[in-house]
Amino acid sequence: GTALSRITVRVGQNADHSGTVIIDASGTINWALAVTGNYVTVDGEHAGQRHLVVRNAPTNKEGTAVALDGTVDPILRYVEIDTAGIGIVFAGGSGGVIERSYIHGIRGDTGIRCNARNGAASQYDLTFIRYNEIQLNSALNTGSGPDGIQGCRGLTIHDNQIYNASGSTNSLDQTNHSDLIQIQADYVKIYNNVLSNMTDSGIDLDQWTDAAIRHIRIYNNILRGVIGSSTGIRFYTSGVPLTSILDVRIMNNTFVDLAEIGDGNAVRFTFGGGNPTVSDMEIKNNIFYNAGKASPHHDVIMILNSSNASQSDWNVDYNLVNAGARGSATLIVDGSAFTQAHGRNDTPTFVTYSPASPNNDFRLGSSDASARDRGVNLASFFTTDKDGIPRPQGSGWDIGAYEYGSS
């Protein structure tokens, strides 16, 4: 295909020809569905439902159900992937969209792999992963298991549900630690997602051999624990000492019940032995409730000391921090305890809440006085909440992923 004349492969749309197409790999066929051309759309939608299923791919680390590797602007939509080591290989190439798909029973390396896509591009919004549900099979007590999404430059991840379900440990790849979103790139947006039961982390940004972290937007997400959760968001480099952090924004997220396993930090920055400069950094308007642990190094926010930065460089303010039943209210910024200038420490009132309940609704309740209208205006970055409701609805921005009045 071409940019002006795409090739579309679509399930039947007529009333007498609208059944579900099933591609069964029988546990042995790798790349059961493979797209090798450019500008190709694979569309499993009929009447708003998924009618294309790819199932029973090999469940070893690299066993892959769908391959879009190296292609330009592919679109994959309304596809169910049931059981695989990797759901979709989306690496190399450029552009593309994966949307409205259900990827489950992932037991190998990752749900979606798009490493190295878009090359060295230096702009946002080139590739989209949106409106999907991704269920991983991980060993919830050890942190081992597959990642949800392995990212690339120019990637926007929004309006997805990504979560871990308990899997038999003898059927999992035990060499992998399970991050719901794992990024080693710049120019990334992550917003409006629900991330649950992170066994190692919810969002992991390890720059490996790149000494800089740059151009990251994380906002309007729910990071929650139900059957066990560890670190919410962590930034680090495992290959070389970090030298700079530039233009990173963590804004209007809701972190709840992250104190069950592992470190429990809601946000953590470590530097691989480096002393980075820090500029255009903000951590604002977030709710931290029942996150972290009441012990050293398990603080709700833990940012190590850098000799080339100060606490003010991190711009941590307007957050609601409450320890809840088992968490921490301690903020460590640039290696020392920190108090926000405009912080809140009240208990937030949600529509429904019980610790670690799967039925929690983290929209703000009508009686809430701790988060409603208490945030700072961040309209230069975004103007709506997780449900698409314009901000603000009252006299000021609400703290957390939702504006009061979302339904």
Side-chain angles (χ1 to χ4, degrees):
T2 68
L4 298 178
S5 181
R6 299 184 64 88
I7 295 170
T8 297
V9 180
R10 192 175 188 188
V11 298
Q13 299 296 304
N14 299 328
D16 58 350
H17 189 67
S18 60
T20 298
V21 176
I22 298 175
I23 301 172
D24 195 319
S26 303
T28 60
I29 302 172
N30 203 26
W31 293 25
L33 173 60
V35 174
T36 58
N38 298 327
Y39 303 104
V40 175
T41 298
V42 177
D43 190 351
E45 185 270 338
H46 173 69
Q49 303 297 315
R50 300 180 192 96
H51 280 244
L52 175 56
V53 177
V54 182
R55 69 188 186 191
N56 297 326
T59 55
N60 56 33
K61 185 170 184 175
E62 297 296 319
T64 301
V66 176
L68 308 170
D69 211 16
T71 56
V72 175
D73 282 336
I75 298 175
L76 185 79
R77 59 194 312 268
Y78 284 93
V79 176
E80 178 180 353
I81 296 172
D82 180 359
T83 307
I86 300 174
I88 301 168
V89 172
F90 196 39
S94 61
V97 177
I98 298 173
E99 65 181 9
R100 302 190 184 279
S101 294
Y102 177 32
I103 303 167
H104 59 111
I106 299 303
R107 298 172 179 272
D109 193 52
T110 185
I112 300 174
R113 175 189 289 170
C114 56
N115 311 52
R117 198 161 191 84
N118 301 319
S122 56
Q123 67 185 85
Y124 291 106
D125 298 326
L126 297 174
T127 297
F128 294 87
I129 299 176
R130 60 196 183 194
Y131 305 110
N132 303 288
E133 180 177 350
I134 303 174
Q135 177 257 310
L136 311 171
N137 286 60
S138 295
L140 294 174
N141 61 335
T142 68
S144 62
D147 300 319
I149 297 170
Q150 297 173 347
C152 60
R153 278 177 172 252
L155 177 62
T156 295
I157 301 170
H158 72 88
D159 293 280
N160 302 281
Q161 297 182 59
I162 310 175
Y163 57 94
N164 268 304
S166 181
S168 173
T169 55
N170 63 14
S171 66
L172 300 169
D173 170 36
Q174 297 297 299
T175 65
N176 211 33
H177 61 262
S178 179
D179 305 311
L180 300 187
I181 297 174
Q182 185 183 84
I183 303 294
Q184 299 161 20
D186 308 327
Y187 295 96
V188 174
K189 292 181 183 178
I190 302 171
Y191 63 91
N192 293 7
N193 303 285
V194 178
L195 307 178
S196 304
N197 303 333
M198 50 284 293
T199 61
D200 205 52
S201 74
I203 300 172
D204 173 284
L205 195 145
D206 178 2
Q207 289 295 72
W208 287 82
T209 57
D210 188 341
I213 296 173
R214 299 163 292 238
H215 310 301
I216 307 292
R217 306 273 192 272
I218 302 173
Y219 59 94
N220 284 353
N221 300 286
I222 305 291
L223 294 95
R224 62 182 297 186
V226 178
I227 52 178
S229 284
S230 184
T231 303
I233 302 174
R234 65 183 180 197
F235 291 78
Y236 62 108
T237 175
S238 58
V240 295
L242 199 62
T243 61
S244 67
I245 297 172
L246 171 66
D247 185 29
V248 175
R249 322 282 175 166
I250 302 172
M251 307 173 290
N252 278 98
N253 302 285
T254 298
F255 301 80
V256 182
D257 299 332
L258 302 187
E260 300 301 313
I261 61 175
D263 295 314
N265 308 114
V267 176
R268 184 168 81 219
F269 281 80
T270 58
F271 311 137
N275 288 283
T277 59
V278 178
S279 56
D280 294 326
M281 173 77 212
E282 292 183 276
I283 303 176
K284 292 181 177 177
N285 284 7
N286 302 285
I287 292 176
F288 300 104
Y289 183 61
N290 198 31
K293 296 180 181 179
S295 58
H297 311 299
H298 298 278
D299 315 285
V300 65
I301 294 179
M302 189 188 78
I303 302 173
L304 295 187
N305 170 255
S306 170
S307 60
N308 290 315
S310 65
Q311 286 187 326
S312 62
D313 291 327
W314 291 92
N315 282 309
V316 179
D317 206 359
Y318 293 94
N319 301 290
L320 189 161
V321 183
N322 187 287
R326 297 182 299 279
S328 168
T330 301
L331 308 180
I332 300 297
V333 178
D334 200 48
S336 301
F338 178 76
T339 300
Q340 302 177 92
H342 305 93
R344 306 287 299 179
N345 59 13
D346 322 55
T347 300
T349 302
F350 300 118
V351 169
T352 58
Y353 177 75
S354 180
S357 169
N359 300 316
N360 286 335
D361 183 340
F362 296 113
R363 294 172 179 85
L364 298 174
S366 59
S367 62
D368 179 79
S370 57
R372 288 175 59 185
D373 303 329
R374 300 291 186 173
V376 65
N377 188 321
L378 298 172
S380 59
F381 302 104
F382 58 100
T383 58
T384 58
D385 77 347
K386 184 186 176 302
D387 285 345
I389 302 298
R391 294 182 184 270
Q393 288 292 295
S395 59
W397 278 48
D398 294 350
I399 299 173
Y402 294 105
E403 279 286 309
Y404 175 71
S406 293
S407 59

